[in-house]
């Protein structure tokens, strides 16, 4: 029996490998479309930066948050800056997975920590595009999967996907984690949720997607008189996935709390940066302070993303996508802090793009690609303008 079991493993591994290769082959057009859109953005950035006497490489690897991640990778935690107004900016605000990867990759290759961060971001963005394709393909067909990956690349702030920031890494982990929930791979979902929770604070959204999606069938089965143990047996790996999911997010919060000597240690660190959650009060005040046209434009943008979310839910978007996308959107809109970063904070909310991707999939290819091309060109110009500006994205 043991011989038979051990002999079966290579066969299963071969089948799994063949399935991965087949899935990658199906995703190849989406990855090519994603890469083309991002390449356009990088080309426009290079030209724009040269015209302004700036270096595109420096803009991608050595400004704003990327500098903080690099410092964590090279020196560890413990660095802080006190501003003239008394606020303290501590590098404990930055979750550890990206700097860990930067440190590891720079130790194994000739890359600097900053370049390692960009390499991680570029690789992770392709992994995210693959996950988005797989999600769109599963829900609406291959053309929707390609459109979803291309639209995510063509977001106005899509240039961040090519920076040494954590958004690409987080979106890759989150999207594959949510896809694992969709396909019932609970242990995989739990591991990916835990890793996402080590990447950004919004990793809580992935944990919520795992927990809520697990709770609903268990609730129904309990209501039908099925014992909890029997219900869990009917969903292999669910209990393990639920337990694994919050470990990364909670682990970092607890570690910072111990280090700071306070239960609210991480929230205090974020408070030093002027960040936190106030239900959207500060954001509403910010909109109200803008000139009429700018304020109206901001309100229209907020209304659009909320409409996209509601439309997707009303069209039957699967529960894990609805929970994840809704919580990412909620956290982005209700956070206070630097308001120019809100589009970047919403970037991982890829489920918002599923309705337009499904629409484009029904159009003639020439028309859908024309729309994507126009959007991609606009995003490339906006991204170059934005990154050459004075404020952080």
């Amino acid at each position: 029996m043991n011989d038979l079991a051990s002999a079966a493993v290579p066969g299963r591994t071969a089948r799994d490998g063949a399935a991965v290769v087949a899935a990658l082959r199906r995703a190849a057009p989406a990855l090519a479309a994603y890469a083309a859109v991002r390449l356009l953005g990088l080309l426009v950035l290079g030209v724009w930066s040269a015209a302004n006497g700036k270096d595109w490489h420096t803009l991608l690897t050595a400004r704003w948050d990327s500098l903080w991640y690099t410092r964590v990778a090279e020196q560890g935690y413990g660095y802080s800056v006190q501003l003239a107004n008394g606020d303290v900016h501590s590098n404990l605000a930055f979750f550890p997975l990206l700097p860990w990867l930067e440190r590891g990759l720079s130790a194994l290759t000739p890359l600097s920590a900053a370049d390692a961060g960009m390499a991680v971001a570029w690789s992770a963005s392709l992994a995210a595009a693959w996950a988005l394709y797989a999600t769109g393909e599963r829900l609406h067909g291959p053309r929707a999967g390609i459109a979803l990956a291309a639209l995510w690349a063509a977001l106005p702030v899509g240039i961040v996907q090519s920076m040494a920031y954590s958004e690409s890494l987080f979106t890759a982990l989150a999207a594959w984690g949510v896809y694992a929930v969709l396909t019932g791979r609970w242990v995989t979902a739990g591991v990916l949720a835990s890793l996402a929770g080590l990447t950004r604070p919004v990793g809580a959204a992935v944990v919520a997607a795992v927990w809520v999606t697990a709770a609903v069938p268990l609730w129904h089965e309990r209501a039908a008189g099925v014992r909890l143990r029997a219900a869990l047996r009917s969903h292999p790996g669910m209990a393990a996935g639920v337990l694994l999911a919050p470990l990364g997010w909670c682990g970092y919060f607890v570690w910072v709390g111990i280090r700071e000597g306070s239960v609210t240690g991480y929230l205090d660190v974020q408070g030093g940066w002027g960040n936190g959650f106030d239900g959207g009060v500060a954001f509403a005040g910010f909109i109200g302070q803008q000139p009429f046209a700018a304020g109206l434009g901001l309100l229209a943008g907020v209304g659009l993303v909320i409409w996209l979310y509601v439309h997707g839910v009303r069209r039957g978007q699967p529960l894990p996508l609805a929970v994840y996308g809704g919580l990412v959107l909620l956290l982005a809109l209700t956070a206070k802090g630097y308001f120019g970063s809100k589009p970047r904070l919403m970037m991982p909310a890829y489920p918002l793009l599923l309705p337009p991707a499904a629409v484009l999939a029904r159009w003639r290819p020439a028309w859908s690609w024309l729309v994507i091309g126009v959007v991609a060109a606009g995003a490339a110009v906006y991204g170059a303008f934005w990154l050459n500006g004075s404020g952080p994205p």
Side-chain angles (χ1 to χ4, degrees):
M1 180 67 70
N2 289 337
D3 291 339
L4 288 174
S6 61
V9 172
R12 185 170 66 248
T13 302
R15 287 194 299 273
D16 291 344
V20 170
V21 171
L24 181 57
R25 187 179 296 114
R26 293 198 307 274
L31 297 180
Y34 175 84
V37 174
R38 293 295 346 115
L39 180 59
L40 174 63
L42 291 173
L43 289 174
V44 174
L45 174 65
V47 173
W48 195 299
S49 302
N52 283 341
K54 297 181 179 180
D55 177 35
W56 67 272
H57 178 265
T58 300
L59 294 177
L60 294 177
T61 62
R63 294 190 76 187
W64 306 306
D65 288 10
S66 57
L67 288 173
W68 288 87
Y69 283 118
T70 299
R71 186 174 285 113
V72 173
E74 294 175 340
Q75 302 173 13
Y77 286 104
Y79 177 82
S80 63
V81 175
Q82 185 166 0
L83 306 184
N85 65 359
D87 289 344
V88 176
H89 289 185
S90 167
N91 65 359
L92 289 170
F94 296 89
F95 275 50
L97 187 56
L98 177 59
W100 284 349
L101 293 174
E102 288 179 341
R103 181 184 301 174
L105 186 58
S106 62
L108 296 173
T109 68
L111 295 174
S112 66
D115 285 338
M118 186 170 67
V120 169
W122 288 19
S123 302
S125 67
L126 286 170
W130 187 1
L132 267 59
Y133 168 79
T135 302
E137 178 194 41
R138 182 177 181 85
L139 298 179
H140 302 291
R143 289 186 58 193
I146 296 171
L148 181 60
L151 287 174
W152 189 66
L155 288 173
V157 292
I159 191 65
V160 173
Q161 297 165 21
S162 301
M163 298 176 68
Y165 272 41
S166 60
E167 274 74 12
S168 290
L169 178 61
F170 173 78
T171 305
L173 294 168
W176 280 117
V178 172
Y179 184 78
V181 177
L182 280 172
T183 54
R185 296 176 173 88
W186 289 102
V187 174
T188 300
V191 171
L192 291 170
S194 186
L195 291 173
L198 282 171
T199 308
R200 294 190 61 79
V202 75
V206 193
V207 178
V210 174
W211 280 9
V212 173
T213 308
V216 169
L218 292 179
W219 176 269
H220 288 313
E221 290 177 36
R222 287 287 294 140
V226 180
R227 292 186 176 182
L228 180 59
R229 183 174 298 180
L232 287 172
R233 280 201 301 267
S234 67
H235 301 281
M238 178 182 283
V242 167
L243 293 174
L244 286 168
L247 293 183
W249 189 82
C250 291
Y252 188 66
F253 266 71
V254 170
W255 181 79
V256 173
I258 293 172
R259 185 181 177 103
E260 295 293 286
S262 170
V263 174
T264 60
Y266 184 79
L267 299 178
D268 297 338
V269 168
Q270 285 284 9
W273 283 82
N275 297 328
F277 298 96
D278 62 0
V281 173
F283 187 35
F286 173 77
I287 293 175
Q289 294 170 3
Q290 304 305 305
F292 178 77
L296 191 62
L298 285 172
L299 283 175
V302 172
L304 175 61
V305 296
I306 293 176
W307 179 83
L308 285 172
Y309 175 72
V310 172
H311 181 69
V313 172
R314 292 181 64 183
R315 294 293 297 270
Q317 193 168 95
L319 183 60
L321 287 163
V323 171
Y324 166 77
L327 194 49
V328 172
L329 182 60
L330 177 66
L331 293 175
L333 292 179
T334 59
K336 59 182 179 179
Y338 180 68
F339 297 105
S341 293
K342 285 196 178 291
R344 172 170 65 88
L345 298 179
M346 287 187 282
M347 191 173 68
Y350 66 90
L352 300 178
L353 299 174
L354 271 167
V359 170
L360 289 174
R362 295 193 293 269
W363 289 6
R364 291 182 178 180
W367 286 108
S368 60
W369 283 114
L370 176 62
V371 170
I372 291 172
V374 170
V375 173
V381 172
Y382 179 75
F385 164 78
W386 187 42
L387 202 53
N388 275 272
S390 58

